[in-house]
Amino acid sequence: MLSGSSERARSTGTPPYTSYRTFKTFIQDLEEHGVPSRIDRSVLTRFSGVVGTQLMHALRFLGLIDGHGRPTQRLKELVNAHSAGRWPEKFLELLRQEYAPMFAIELETATPSHFNEAFRKAFPAADAVVQKCVTFFLYAANDAGVKISGRVLKGRKPRSLTLRRKPAKPAFAHPQEIEAGTSEPQPAMLGIEAKKPSEVLLMYLDPNEMDDEQQAAVWTMLKYFKSRGL
């Protein structure tokens, strides 16, 4: 059984709002290098300051570290489960405890309004934060094998909830390849020359599938393009 700080009143706290990819990368790092005596900035060197802070918040909410950054038994069990190929069932046990109000509704058949009302009631926060919290929860639930209503997912995850994306097709095909191909050029390619670089960039990137540092890099590039009128 997962041990941790489940008696804490997290129902009134803010759930993780970092990227789920960031969280999973951290777990994989612990699996590879071992669980340290304390989780602090010296352990989170691969993450930026903001991302590291968000990750620490996520670990506290999930009961994986205590108030002093010391790993709990729950974190050790979770890392061991990941190594042993038992991640989904062990992680689901954790999610059911920390997101109990969400598992009190029928997630597989919930309507968007029912889901949103339940989440906001259990975890009130600013709209922008709630959206990030929901995104983390949906990725986490998917990784734990939880079935979520297609109505809830519609519009939130245009592709899927998977953490790995297939390599994007090249934006331009060689003329000979188009001529020799059996299908017509894709519509997205036909008008691509008329689009601005910033618009082309957004065509091939999905922020929902990036971690926080990758998103920050994209927004920085977009701001540069905008300042140049591109």
Side-chain angles (χ1 to χ4, degrees):
M1 179 177 181
L2 281 168
S3 60
S5 307
S6 57
E7 295 182 358
R8 290 176 299 159
R10 281 194 213 94
S11 60
T12 57
T14 303
Y17 51 88
T18 190
S19 161
Y20 183 71
R21 183 189 292 274
T22 295
F23 170 75
K24 196 65 179 290
T25 296
F26 175 71
I27 295 296
Q28 292 169 343
D29 282 351
L30 295 184
E31 179 185 351
E32 180 178 353
H33 302 291
V35 179
S37 59
R38 188 176 68 180
I39 308 297
D40 53 32
R41 289 305 309 172
S42 64
V43 178
L44 306 178
T45 54
R46 69 178 296 171
F47 305 108
S48 69
V50 173
V51 175
T53 299
Q54 293 178 350
L55 179 57
M56 290 291 287
H57 169 81
L59 296 175
R60 290 193 186 94
F61 179 91
L62 297 174
L64 301 179
I65 59 174
D66 64 17
H68 300 285
R70 292 187 293 259
T72 62
Q73 183 61 28
R74 169 184 280 189
L75 176 58
K76 298 173 184 177
E77 292 178 2
L78 200 59
V79 173
N80 289 336
H82 192 274
S83 301
R86 296 182 290 104
W87 173 265
E89 53 266 36
K90 203 67 173 178
F91 192 44
L92 176 58
E93 188 179 339
L94 182 155
L95 293 180
R96 285 188 177 279
Q97 292 183 34
E98 306 311 326
Y99 290 91
M102 298 312 299
F103 285 92
I105 68 175
E106 292 291 338
L107 290 172
E108 189 172 358
T109 59
T111 63
S113 60
H114 188 190
F115 177 91
N116 291 332
E117 287 171 6
F119 201 98
R120 290 176 181 277
K121 181 179 180 180
F123 311 108
D127 288 346
V129 175
V130 169
Q131 289 304 315
K132 291 184 177 181
C133 293
V134 168
T135 297
F136 181 96
F137 174 73
L138 292 178
Y139 270 104
N142 176 76
D143 203 26
V146 179
K147 293 184 178 180
I148 306 291
S149 166
R151 293 187 177 90
V152 172
L153 298 179
K154 185 177 181 181
R156 293 181 183 274
K157 297 288 157 234
R159 290 179 174 81
S160 69
L161 289 176
T162 57
L163 293 177
R164 295 180 180 178
R165 65 178 302 172
K166 297 179 179 179
K169 295 181 179 180
F172 298 97
H174 191 280
Q176 292 181 350
E177 295 175 347
I178 296 177
E179 183 177 352
T182 57
S183 61
E184 294 294 327
Q186 295 298 313
M189 295 173 59
L190 294 177
I192 197 169
E193 293 183 353
K195 293 183 178 295
K196 295 181 178 180
S198 57
E199 295 172 332
V200 174
L201 181 65
L202 290 175
M203 287 173 57
Y204 292 95
L205 297 177
D206 183 359
N208 289 320
E209 295 184 353
M210 301 176 185
D211 61 30
D212 296 296
E213 291 180 289
Q214 291 170 332
Q215 288 186 27
V218 170
W219 302 143
T220 299
M221 187 177 296
L222 284 174
K223 288 180 181 178
Y224 172 75
F225 282 158
K226 295 291 186 181
S227 67
R228 300 289 300 275
L230 301 174

